[in-house]
Amino acid sequence: MKTNPNTKTEITFDDFKAEVINDYKLAVTSRECSLLGRREVLTGKAKFGIFGDGKEVPQIAWAKAFENGDFRSGYYRDQTFMMAIGELTIEQFFAGLYANTDLKEEPMSAGRQMGGHFATHSLDEKGNWKNLTEQKNSSADISPTAGQMPRLLGLAQASKIYRNVKGIDTTNFSKNGDEIAWGTIGNASTSEGLFFETINAAGVLQVPMVISIWDDEYGISVHAKHQTTKENISEILKGFQREDDSNGYEIFRVNGWNYAELIDTYQRAAKIARKEHVPLMIHVQELTQPQGHSTSGSHERYKNEERLAWEAEYDCNAQMRQWMIANNIATDEELTNLEKDIKKEVRDGKKAAWSAFINPIKEEKQEVLSLLEKVANTSSNAVFITKLKNDLEAIEEPLRKDLLSSARKALRYVISEDSNEKLALQSWINNYIEKIQPKYSSHLYSESKHQAAYQAEVLPTYSNDAAEVDGRVILRDNFEAIFNKYPEALVFGEDAGHIGDVNQGLEGLQEKFGELRVSDTGIREATILGQGIGMAMRGLRPIAEIQYLDYILYALQIMSDDLATVQYRTKGRQKAPLIVRTRGHRLEGIWHSGSQMGGILNLIRGIHVLVPRNMTKAAGFYNTLLESDEPALVVECLNGYRLKEKMPSNIGEFKTPIGVVETIKEGEDITLVSYGSTLRLVEQAAKELLEVGIDAEIIDVQSLLPFDLNHDIVKSISKTNRVMVIDEDVKGGASAYILDQILNEQNAFQYLDSQPKTLAAKPHRPAYGTDGDYFSKPSVEDIFEAVYDIMHEVSPSDYPKLR
C-alpha cells in the first residue's frame, strides 16, 4: 500500500507512470475507506467516524518526503499518509473503526481511541525502545484540536539536541539530528492559542519542524471568515518569514489538488528543514472535505450549491485523475477498471476486519449461552434465566457488554440457590472480567521492568561532619550529578538557565553544561510541557520546569490529554518519561497560592504526583525517576529552599521511593496524615498536643500518585484507631482523595473508633500576606483544636471542651 518514490536521478516514463498510478491507487483506496467507513457508522457497526477524505493527494506528496527516523505529530485526518508510509492497512483502518482491542489487529491504540487517531510502536512488547531511526514514526494522536502542536515542538527540538550535544548514545534515536518533525493541523484549529504559542516557540528555537495546514475553508460548519483574520493563516503569519539577518520560518503555499506542485513543495521543504534545522510552514489551500466534518452531521446543511459544485470539481482525487489522463499516464477506461478493483479490495478488507472483531465474541457468546442453559435447568427461576438466554441468542452480532450483562443478571436469579451450575457461572463471570478488563484499563502507567515503583529506596548517607546547607544547595549539587551521569538529561524553563532558576536550584549549571542542556524559555507553559513530551518520546530525559505550581494550569490540558495518556492510548507502545519540576505549597496571595492539588490529581492520572517535604527528598525523587520510564510532577516546597538540611555524601545516588509513605513521628492516640510544607505545621501542632497529653502519629504521604502502595497508613490507624488528613487544598480536594484512598482502598474503617476527619483550607483562594495565609489555610492552632475536638469526643472528662 505504501508509496515508493523513485529516487533515481533519471527515470523512464514507464517508471514515472507506475509510480503515479500507484499513488492514485493509494488515494482511491483511502477515499473508499472513508466512504465505506461512514456507511459502517450509519448502519451501527461503528460508533463514530471522522475521516481524511479530501486530503489524500497532499498526504501522498508529504509521505514521499518523510524518511526513516522522522516523526509525525498530527491530527485525525492523516489516514492517507499513514497508508502511504506503510503503517496502516485497509483491515487496520476498519479495525480502528470497530474498536478492536487486539493490538495485532488494531496497532494504533487497540481500540482505545476512535478511528483516525494514529501511532507507530516506539517500544517492543516489554517496553524497551525499538530503533526509531530504522522506521517511520508517528507520535500517538489526541483529539483536542491543536493539542498536537506543543508535542511537535519537542519532537523537532530533539533533533537539535542530538545534533549539537555530545556524549549521548544516539543509536536508537537519531542520525546526526537529521530527523524532521512533521505536524498537521486543520485551518480552523490554527485559531487555538496552542498553535500560535508553538509557532512562536519554534521560530525562536529554530528547530527542524514542518507544519502542514490542511485548509478546506471550514471548521466543522464555521467558515474561515469567522476563524481567521483575512481568512488566510499564512497571510497573517508572513511576518514570521525568515530573512537574511533574522530567524524565522520558510512559508510555502500550494493548492491541495495539484499533484506535481505538492510533490515539489514537500521535497523542497524537507531539504531545507533537514539540512538547515529551521521550521517551515506549508499552507495547503483549496482542499475539500467531501463528507463534511464527521458522521455526526452533513455538510450540505452549511455549504451552498456553488461551494458544493466547486468541491466536486476540485476534489484532489478528481483533479489527479484528470491530470493523469491529460498527460497520457492512464486512460479513463484503465482508471475506471482500477477504481472498480479497489472498491472490491476495500469491501473485502472491511469484511475481514469485521470478522476478526466479531468472531471471538461469537465464540464467547456460545460459552455464555451454554452456562445460562445449565443454570436455568437447575433453578427455580428458570423462566427468567431462559428469557435472558433467548434474548442474548437473538443478538446476531453481540458486544462483550451483552455477554457479561446477561451473565451478571442471571446470577441475581440464583442468589439464594446452591448448585454447581451457579458456581460455574460465578467463576466464568470473575474470570471473564479478569481477562477482558485489561483490554480497556491496562497501561495507565508503565508495566515494564523500568516502572518507578520497582526502583528500590537508597537512603542518603552522611559523614560525621556533614555540613548544614540551604536545601537549594542539595538540589543544585544533585542536578549537577544528574547531568554528569546522564548526557541525555536536560532542563529548561522560565529563568532556569542564566540565573539558575528563581530559587537557585540550578545555580551555575548553564555555564557548566551549556545553553542547550540548561536553558531559558519564554513565558509559555504549554509549550514548555510540549518540548518535554516530544523530547521524551525520542529517548531524551527532559526536565521541564514550570516556575510555580499555579502556572501548571496553563499546561494542564497538555498534561491531562497528552502526557498522562501516552502509555494508555498506545497500550504501552509509546512512552514519554518527562519530569515536570515545579514549586508550591503555603504561598501567599490569590495567584501564587499553590493549592490546585485536587484538580491536578483528578486530571493527570497516568502521571506520578510527588510532594517531597524537603529538598533531600526532592533530589531523591529525581534520582529515582531518571532510573524509571514514567512521567512525573515533582512539587518542591517553595519555603524550603533556604531551610538548613544536612548535605548527603552520596549526592546523585540516593533515591526516594515512589508510592511509599514515611512515619516521621510515632504516636498512640491519632494518625495525622499530610504532605509538603503543611507537615511542618503538623509537627509543631503535635509538639503542642503532647503538652495536653495527646500523642499523635505523623505520616508524610510523599507521593500522591501512586498513594501508599504498602498500605502503611492503615497499619498506623489499626494502632491509633483515629485519623485526620490535613491539607492546604480546599475541601473536597487532595484531602478528600487521600481519605478515599485510606477508607476505600485500605479498608481502614474497620479500625476506626472516631469519625475520620479532614482539615483543609477555606473555599476561596488564599488572601495575601501572613494574616491572609493564617485565615485562609490550616494553621497550627487549627490543627491543634481539630485534633483536640476529636479527643474531647472520645473522653470529655480528660479533654474538656476548648471553646
Side-chain angles (χ1 to χ4, degrees):
M1 183 67 67
K2 65 190 283 188
T3 182
N4 293 300
N6 197 317
T7 56
K8 292 187 291 186
T9 304
E10 295 182 7
I11 62 173
T12 66
F13 180 74
D14 287 341
D15 290 337
F16 173 69
K17 176 181 174 180
E19 184 173 334
V20 173
I21 291 174
N22 183 64
D23 288 347
Y24 182 70
K25 180 180 179 181
L26 179 59
V28 175
T29 299
S30 180
R31 178 64 61 86
E32 288 301 318
C33 284
S34 295
L35 296 173
L36 189 53
R38 181 180 178 87
R39 287 198 288 273
E40 289 298 277
V41 174
L42 297 180
T43 58
K45 281 189 175 179
K47 296 286 288 185
F48 180 77
I50 193 160
F51 306 110
D53 45 308
K55 318 296 189 290
E56 293 90 351
V57 175
Q59 290 183 21
I60 289 170
W62 164 28
K64 291 177 182 293
F66 196 93
E67 297 185 2
N68 284 350
D70 286 358
F71 260 86
R72 166 189 169 273
S73 182
Y75 86 135
Y76 40 72
R77 303 287 185 197
D78 293 345
Q79 73 194 45
T80 309
F81 169 79
M82 294 298 292
M83 290 177 172
I85 65 170
E87 292 295 336
L88 181 68
T89 66
I90 295 169
E91 288 83 356
Q92 289 167 348
F93 172 87
F94 285 101
L97 199 63
Y98 302 141
N100 193 318
T101 58
D102 187 338
L103 198 61
K104 293 179 181 178
E105 300 289 341
E106 203 283 271
M108 303 301 146
S109 74
R112 295 180 178 189
Q113 297 211 88
M114 64 179 66
H117 294 71
F118 306 114
T120 53
H121 294 183
S122 299
L123 310 176
D124 63 22
E125 64 277 3
K126 294 182 179 180
N128 299 311
W129 288 108
K130 298 171 70 177
N131 191 327
L132 306 185
T133 69
E134 295 180 350
Q135 64 182 44
K136 293 177 171 64
N137 303 287
S138 174
S139 59
D141 292 340
I142 57 175
S143 288
T145 57
Q148 72 274 22
M149 291 294 293
R151 179 199 333 137
L152 172 64
L153 177 67
L155 291 168
Q157 188 180 3
S159 291
K160 185 171 184 176
I161 298 299
Y162 282 126
R163 178 173 289 184
N164 295 287
V165 175
K166 306 303 179 185
I168 303 175
D169 181 2
T170 63
T171 304
N172 289 329
F173 306 109
S174 181
K175 292 184 177 179
N176 194 41
D178 290 343
E179 301 80 20
I180 297 172
W182 302 81
T184 64
I185 192 169
N187 59 297
S189 294
T190 63
S191 300
E192 295 275 11
L194 292 177
F195 171 81
F196 282 96
E197 187 173 318
T198 303
I199 291 296
N200 179 62
V204 171
L205 291 172
Q206 289 292 278
V207 291
M209 178 184 100
V210 181
I211 177 73
S212 296
I213 301 169
W214 308 138
D215 190 349
D216 57 25
E217 290 194 20
Y218 286 85
I220 307 183
S221 67
V222 180
H223 191 268
K225 65 184 178 183
H226 302 297
Q227 305 274 4
T228 310
T229 303
K230 299 184 179 181
E231 300 182 30
N232 189 316
I233 188 64
S234 60
E235 179 68 19
I236 64 172
L237 291 179
K238 65 184 180 181
F240 281 88
Q241 176 66 50
R242 66 174 181 158
E243 300 171 354
D244 293 338
D245 59 347
S246 69
N247 57 17
Y249 279 72
E250 286 295 334
I251 301 176
F252 298 153
R253 296 181 186 176
V254 61
N255 289 330
W257 46 264
N258 193 319
Y259 173 75
E261 287 189 8
L262 283 162
I263 291 175
D264 177 67
T265 298
Y266 275 95
Q267 293 295 325
R268 287 190 292 126
K271 185 176 180 180
I272 294 170
R274 211 175 296 281
K275 180 180 179 180
E276 301 181 42
H277 266 206
V278 296
L280 293 94
M281 185 185 310
I282 303 177
H283 186 184
V284 185
Q285 300 175 288
E286 297 195 6
L287 285 171
T288 67
Q289 201 153 275
Q291 297 185 112
H293 175 74
S294 70
T295 54
S296 61
S298 172
H299 64 153
E300 285 85 357
R301 292 186 300 166
Y302 53 84
K303 292 176 183 175
N304 59 34
E305 291 185 5
E306 182 182 5
R307 173 68 190 187
L308 291 170
W310 181 90
E311 289 197 4
E313 180 179 357
Y314 282 91
D315 179 285
C316 63
N317 287 12
Q319 286 287 312
M320 184 177 179
R321 192 182 199 279
Q322 292 177 22
W323 176 83
M324 291 169 67
I325 294 172
N327 286 276
N328 298 317
I329 293 171
T331 65
D332 177 77
E333 182 180 3
E334 288 172 337
L335 294 179
T336 298
N337 290 332
L338 177 66
E339 291 155 359
K340 182 179 179 181
D341 291 341
I342 291 172
K343 286 179 182 289
K344 182 179 184 305
E345 185 180 356
V346 172
R347 287 197 301 271
D348 289 345
K350 187 253 327 180
K351 291 177 183 177
W354 180 250
S355 294
F357 170 75
I358 200 65
N359 286 345
I361 303 177
K362 285 184 175 180
E363 292 176 6
E364 294 164 6
K365 172 186 169 182
Q366 294 306 313
E367 294 178 20
V368 181
L369 292 175
S370 176
L371 284 167
L372 294 181
E373 183 175 2
K374 291 176 181 178
V375 171
N377 289 339
T378 61
S379 174
S380 58
N381 287 313
V383 63
F384 302 107
I385 299 171
T386 299
K387 183 179 185 306
L388 284 172
K389 171 184 171 293
N390 293 339
D391 289 346
L392 177 59
E393 194 166 19
I395 304 174
E396 293 184 6
E397 295 178 328
L399 298 176
R400 290 192 164 103
K401 167 185 175 293
D402 300 316
L403 312 187
L404 190 55
S405 176
S406 298
R408 293 167 80 176
K409 288 178 179 177
L411 192 60
R412 301 173 193 173
Y413 290 115
V414 293
I415 193 169
S416 59
E417 298 178 9
D418 292 316
S419 68
N420 290 332
E421 290 75 13
K422 173 187 173 181
L423 292 175
L425 181 61
Q426 288 174 324
S427 177
W428 184 91
I429 291 171
N430 292 334
N431 291 336
Y432 193 71
I433 292 173
E434 185 177 355
K435 173 186 172 184
I436 300 300
Q437 189 66 53
K439 294 179 181 292
Y440 304 95
S441 301
S442 71
H443 291 92
L444 178 59
Y445 298 94
S446 171
E447 297 185 8
S448 79
K449 65 182 181 181
H450 309 293
Q451 61 181 271
Y454 287 172
Q455 306 305 314
E457 180 178 18
V458 177
L459 292 170
T461 58
Y462 300 93
S463 62
N464 292 332
D465 58 349
E468 293 260 338
V469 298
D470 289 347
R472 62 105 188 167
V473 174
I474 295 173
L475 270 181
R476 180 199 65 192
D477 290 0
N478 196 76
F479 278 128
E480 181 174 357
I482 283 172
F483 295 138
N484 280 318
K485 184 177 181 180
Y486 302 98
E488 65 274 22
L490 62 157
V491 64
F492 46 92
E494 299 159 18
D495 301 302
H498 181 63
I499 69 168
D501 89 37
V502 290
N503 297 103
Q504 298 291 277
L506 299 169
E507 179 190 21
L509 297 187
Q510 185 180 83
E511 185 176 350
K512 292 181 179 180
F513 296 100
E515 293 185 6
L516 288 176
R517 294 191 66 194
V518 183
S519 54
D520 290 305
T521 68
I523 299 176
R524 47 174 183 79
E525 285 77 12
T527 45
I528 291 173
L529 254 295
Q531 285 176 251
I533 296 170
M535 286 193 281
M537 282 183 157
R538 291 191 58 191
L540 295 170
R541 294 310 309 263
I543 301 170
E545 180 169 317
I546 303 299
Q547 197 162 89
Y548 297 110
L549 183 62
D550 306 74
Y551 305 167
I552 285 284
L553 297 184
Y554 283 100
L556 196 54
Q557 185 263 320
I558 301 300
M559 293 181 72
S560 179
D561 290 324
D562 197 352
L563 180 60
T565 66
V566 170
Q567 288 261 3
Y568 176 75
R569 70 179 189 267
T570 64
K571 202 175 183 182
R573 293 309 170 93
Q574 287 188 10
K575 63 182 177 183
L578 167 64
I579 299 172
V580 183
R581 179 194 182 209
T582 191
R583 50 193 64 83
H585 300 312
R586 306 302 302 198
L587 310 188
E588 297 177 5
I590 292 176
W591 309 122
H592 294 82
S593 58
S595 297
Q596 299 85 18
M597 297 307 298
I600 291 170
L601 286 169
N602 285 294
L603 288 169
I604 65 170
R605 302 297 171 92
I607 300 174
H608 295 321
V609 178
L610 310 176
V611 283
R613 68 179 182 271
N614 58 39
M615 300 310 151
T616 303
K617 291 288 186 179
F621 276 136
Y622 293 121
N623 297 336
T624 299
L625 292 167
L626 284 164
E627 294 289 328
S628 76
D629 64 351
E630 295 174 294
L633 169 66
V634 181
V635 185
E636 299 167 8
C637 296
L638 180 61
N639 54 12
Y641 293 108
R642 301 292 173 180
L643 295 181
K644 300 298 182 183
E645 299 180 40
K646 283 186 177 182
M647 172 62 77
S649 56
N650 57 341
I651 283 286
E653 300 300 326
F654 60 87
K655 294 192 290 186
T656 308
I658 305 290
V660 178
V661 304
E662 182 178 353
T663 301
I664 58 177
K665 178 191 174 299
E666 294 190 356
E668 300 292 332
D669 295 324
I670 188 170
T671 300
L672 304 182
V673 181
S674 192
Y675 63 89
S677 295
T678 303
L679 269 168
R680 288 196 285 278
L681 279 68
V682 174
E683 287 182 279
Q684 180 59 38
K687 291 178 182 177
E688 297 176 10
L689 285 164
L690 276 174
E691 297 173 2
V692 294
I694 299 172
D695 186 12
E697 184 148 301
I698 304 175
I699 293 181
D700 178 7
V701 168
Q702 298 196 106
S703 171
L704 288 165
L705 290 175
F707 183 85
D708 191 9
L709 297 175
N710 298 326
H711 289 193
D712 288 325
I713 293 177
V714 72
K715 296 170 189 174
S716 171
I717 294 170
S718 69
K719 176 179 65 174
T720 66
N721 307 118
R722 295 171 189 84
V723 64
M724 177 182 290
V725 179
I726 303 99
D727 179 34
E728 62 176 316
D729 198 5
V730 298
K731 287 182 179 296
S735 57
Y737 160 79
I738 292 170
L739 190 59
D740 174 75
Q741 290 285 312
I742 294 171
L743 296 180
N744 293 317
E745 294 296 323
Q746 300 189 14
N747 297 315
F749 188 83
Q750 60 185 315
Y751 299 112
L752 290 171
D753 292 337
S754 297
Q755 178 184 347
K757 294 280 190 177
T758 61
L759 179 61
K762 297 294 187 290
H764 54 73
R765 297 286 184 102
Y768 174 60
T770 301
D771 281 347
D773 175 76
Y774 185 86
F775 286 97
S776 300
K777 294 185 176 183
S779 65
V780 172
E781 288 72 35
D782 291 332
I783 299 167
F784 179 99
E785 292 178 4
V787 173
Y788 187 91
D789 283 348
I790 291 175
M791 300 309 294
H792 164 72
E793 183 183 41
V794 172
S795 179
S797 60
D798 291 332
Y799 306 102
K801 188 172 181 61
L802 192 60
R803 65 179 176 90

